[in-house]
Amino acid sequence: MKIGQLARTAGLNASAIRYYEKRGLLAPPQRTGGQRRYASDALSRVLLIRFATGMGFTLAEIKLFLNGLRDNTPVGPRWKKLATRKLIEVEQNIARSRKLKSLLQGLLHCHCPSLQFCVNCLRLSPKLRRLENMRMKRR
Amino acid sequence: MKIGQLARTAGLNASAIRYYEKRGLLAPPQRTGGQRRYASDALSRVLLIRFATGMGFTLAEIKLFLNGLRDNTPVGPRWKKLATRKLIEVEQNIARSRKLKSLLQGLLHCHCPSLQFCVNCLRLSPKLRRLENMRMKRR
DNA sequence: GCTTGACTTAAAGCTAACTTTAAGTTCTAG
DNA sequence: CTAGAACTTAAAGTTAGCTTTAAGTCAAGC
């Protein structure tokens, strides 16, 4: 399978596949005349990577995980640790977003004119501070 | 107030304040010998900006909002539109994170050895696809 | 044999919100 | 008066996960 075929099948760009290879998530495949030729297991590998990025794992984390798998290491502890950490991140994100939501709803019901608005906002500063302290890296 | 003082009081770096000025969120203040001197209302302005970024608004959105305020435009429609849009984003983020959470919890209870894992993961692909379609810009 | 589409590389570009750096100026305390 | 802290600028660097570009090579169909 050429890279374009693999890309179309997996639903991403060929450049992404090359990027995964450069990042060490995908083993360099055989080549024919300089061009990459993939065996069919490459597809499931790529799909797994997409799946994991979709779940919010970073490429670095996925690489860790995949390298464990490549060694045929039992999935157990490695995966559990990564997933548990990610679960905590996701839960924090939910909590933060909930606070944000109620704050936004509250502010939407506050009909203050012009700059008085700011004053009202800043009265909420204890809440704000809690929010700011919760700020995550991303997502 | 010099920029360092303002920065310390507001809890950010002086470079961030200069950045806000360059981005047009903060009016250029008076200068003494080339150095910025801020009146006290600059503090509430900066705090408002921090507040809004903490709520997930981008600097571009905040600029829009602040320029409305500067004109003494009534807050009404402009703010309502921005906040409503942001509320939708936040709600989508919550929904997405909930799906992620249940997926992660499910996977944590799946004790499959080595690469079989991947197969199990990929069986979830309809869920995955829904997740992927939900992917937001950030946060 | 030739065209054309698919492939190759390294390096730069993208986004957001800043920070860091480098080189120079000004303020302030002693 | 002088040391050093704080300020100034423009430009480059940071993070992640790619994409785009430029310039060139290869493959497949006619």
Side-chain angles (χ1 to χ4, degrees):
Chain A
M1 215 197 296
K2 298 210 267 183
I3 198 172
Q5 180 71 49
L6 176 57
R8 251 166 286 129
T9 312
L12 36 58
N13 284 340
S15 64
I17 294 176
R18 291 194 203 96
Y19 180 67
Y20 291 157
E21 184 181 322
K22 197 161 66 180
R23 288 287 303 265
L25 280 89
L26 225 46
Q30 290 177 0
R31 300 220 177 194
T32 301
Q35 297 188 351
R36 294 169 179 81
R37 294 301 144 96
Y38 290 94
S40 58
D41 64 331
L43 175 60
S44 57
R45 188 54 100 90
V46 170
L47 287 176
L48 178 57
I49 295 171
R50 299 298 286 173
F51 175 71
T53 58
M55 306 211 29
F57 290 95
T58 66
L59 294 189
E61 289 167 334
I62 298 168
K63 183 183 174 180
L64 265 179
F65 179 58
L66 288 177
N67 286 347
L69 287 181
R70 194 180 297 149
D71 300 345
N72 239 18
T73 308
V75 165
R78 182 193 307 269
W79 157 249
K80 213 157 206 165
K81 197 177 164 195
L82 278 175
T84 304
R85 189 148 46 75
K86 190 57 61 179
L87 190 57
I88 290 170
E89 277 178 30
V90 170
E91 279 166 350
Q92 285 174 341
N93 188 15
I94 292 175
R96 183 177 174 283
S97 295
R98 286 226 187 92
K99 290 233 164 85
L100 228 57
K101 181 181 168 181
S102 73
L103 213 46
L104 270 172
Q105 287 175 329
L107 288 174
L108 267 174
H109 293 144
C110 147
H111 300 297
C112 40
S114 90
L115 281 167
Q116 284 304 317
F117 169 76
C118 308
V119 181
N120 281 349
C121 287
L122 296 176
R123 289 232 179 86
L124 294 167
S125 54
K127 261 190 188 172
L128 164 59
R129 253 165 237 135
R130 246 181 295 134
L131 268 173
E132 293 251 326
N133 291 339
M134 291 175 63
R135 285 174 92 176
M136 286 173 55
K137 291 162 281 186
R138 290 277 134 191
R139 315 192 88 145
Chain B
M1 215 199 295
K2 296 211 269 181
I3 198 172
Q5 180 71 48
L6 176 58
R8 251 166 286 128
T9 312
L12 36 58
N13 284 339
S15 65
I17 294 175
R18 290 193 203 96
Y19 180 67
Y20 291 157
E21 183 181 324
K22 197 160 66 178
R23 288 287 304 265
L25 280 89
L26 225 46
Q30 289 178 2
R31 299 219 179 196
T32 300
Q35 298 189 350
R36 294 169 179 83
R37 295 300 144 97
Y38 290 95
S40 59
D41 65 332
L43 175 60
S44 57
R45 188 51 102 92
V46 170
L47 287 177
L48 178 57
I49 295 172
R50 298 298 284 173
F51 174 71
T53 58
M55 306 211 32
F57 290 95
T58 66
L59 294 189
E61 290 168 334
I62 298 168
K63 183 181 173 181
L64 265 179
F65 179 58
L66 287 178
N67 287 346
L69 288 181
R70 195 179 297 149
D71 301 345
N72 240 17
T73 309
V75 164
R78 181 192 307 269
W79 157 249
K80 213 156 206 166
K81 197 177 165 194
L82 279 174
T84 304
R85 189 149 46 75
K86 190 58 61 181
L87 190 57
I88 290 170
E89 278 178 29
V90 170
E91 279 165 352
Q92 285 174 342
N93 188 15
I94 292 176
R96 181 177 175 282
S97 296
R98 285 225 189 94
K99 290 231 164 86
L100 229 56
K101 181 180 169 182
S102 72
L103 214 46
L104 271 173
Q105 286 175 330
L107 288 174
L108 266 175
H109 293 144
C110 145
H111 302 297
C112 41
S114 90
L115 282 167
Q116 285 303 316
F117 169 76
C118 311
V119 181
N120 281 350
C121 288
L122 296 176
R123 289 233 179 83
L124 295 166
S125 54
K127 260 191 189 173
L128 165 60
R129 253 165 238 135
R130 245 182 295 132
L131 268 172
E132 293 251 325
N133 291 339
M134 291 176 63
R135 286 174 92 176
M136 284 174 58
K137 292 162 279 186
R138 290 279 136 188
R139 317 190 86 146

